[in-house]
Amino acid sequence: MRRADRLFELVTLLRGRRLAVTGRALAEALEVSLRTVYRDIADLQAQGVPIAGEAGVGYRLSPDFDLPPLMFSRAEVMALLVGGRLAQAFTDPALAAAARSAEAKIRAILDDRLLAEADALPYRAPVIPSDAAMRARHQAIREACEARRKLRLDYRDASGEPSSRTVWPLGLIAWTGRWTLMAWCETRQDYRNFRFDRIERMETLAEVFPQRPDRSLAHYLAGLGAP
């Protein structure tokens, strides 16, 4: 990686975090030595980039700092287009509309060669009308996650046993082609996964659940050893 590209990537890594990032974590992400990270941080600070922190503690970029417009590589453009098509087919109507809008903006800045490559992408993810109810459920669950609103579920597990639960919706996870809600279950006092297609009835409650680091998507995934 060229040094200019590495410095840009370093700023991008810092810009995407609300909390301080250690030098060691940055070094691992950039695949360089810790000494190189310290030197790059010092150079960026000398150029006026508002990075706060110090070696051994961590670094944080001022939230007011903005980057110049991004230039994507060919592979990055194709990845964004494929991701947008998957969002249209497998998420919910609101995200699908945002994905269509984003695709139009991406295509508007492509040259003729890249447009031809975009049109020739082998990926297809058709939107199936019969999936409309599941996409509506997807949107309701996503919005409950974002608003931290509790959900009341009537659920039937793999053996057909019914149950009613009040849960804290924490994340939407795709396991081998099926969407599941990852939640904190008040009944079990533990994390539980609920397949969308096994939810028989769902109600979004007015009650908002608190933010707790020990009951979060990040905490759950860390327990699985997931990144």
Side-chain angles (χ1 to χ4, degrees):
M1 181 186 295
R2 295 182 310 160
R3 183 167 184 274
D5 292 335
R6 189 177 70 244
L7 291 177
F8 186 88
E9 182 66 17
L10 178 55
V11 172
T12 301
L13 288 170
L14 290 171
R15 189 169 183 259
R17 306 291 184 89
R18 291 183 294 121
L19 303 176
V21 187
T22 65
R24 189 168 302 280
L26 293 169
E28 291 176 358
L30 295 169
E31 298 182 346
V32 297
S33 69
L34 189 57
R35 184 177 180 180
T36 297
V37 168
Y38 291 156
R39 186 174 62 246
D40 288 349
I41 290 284
D43 288 345
L44 287 168
Q45 288 172 327
Q47 294 172 31
V49 178
I51 299 173
E54 59 185 72
V57 178
Y59 299 96
R60 185 172 182 271
L61 182 65
S62 169
D64 298 328
F65 181 75
D66 204 4
L67 289 169
L70 295 177
M71 294 301 293
F72 294 110
S73 69
R74 172 199 168 278
E76 289 170 339
V77 168
M78 299 306 146
L80 289 171
L81 292 175
V82 171
R85 293 178 185 180
L86 294 176
Q88 292 176 56
F90 300 121
T91 61
D92 60 64
L95 281 182
R100 286 192 296 271
S101 175
E103 179 172 344
K105 291 177 181 177
I106 291 171
R107 292 178 66 90
I109 62 172
L110 299 182
D111 59 28
D112 290 343
R113 179 180 62 83
L114 284 176
L115 272 174
E117 291 188 22
D119 290 338
L121 276 173
Y123 291 94
R124 294 294 183 271
V127 177
I128 301 173
S130 60
D131 289 342
M134 194 63 65
R135 285 195 291 273
R137 173 168 293 168
H138 187 119
Q139 182 166 334
I141 292 173
R142 175 176 63 81
E143 290 174 346
C145 289
E146 293 169 348
R148 302 204 325 276
R149 299 269 297 276
K150 293 185 181 183
L151 293 174
R152 182 172 292 127
L153 306 178
D154 289 340
Y155 189 75
R156 194 171 294 275
D157 65 19
S159 62
E161 285 295 316
S163 64
S164 294
R165 316 280 187 94
T166 296
V167 303
W168 302 9
L170 300 174
L172 292 77
I173 303 179
W175 302 103
T176 59
R178 292 189 181 276
W179 283 105
T180 62
L181 163 64
M182 200 290 291
W184 178 265
C185 177
E186 291 187 347
T187 302
R188 304 300 184 194
Q189 285 295 294
D190 201 355
Y191 294 118
R192 288 291 186 271
N193 289 308
F194 301 93
R195 265 179 44 172
F196 285 15
D197 57 336
R198 291 180 180 158
I199 297 174
E200 297 188 329
R201 195 179 73 85
M202 184 180 80
E203 178 187 1
T204 302
L205 305 179
E207 188 176 356
V208 174
F209 59 87
Q211 286 184 304
R212 289 183 49 170
D214 60 336
R215 297 183 185 180
S216 67
L217 181 60
H219 182 257
Y220 171 74
L221 293 175
L224 297 178

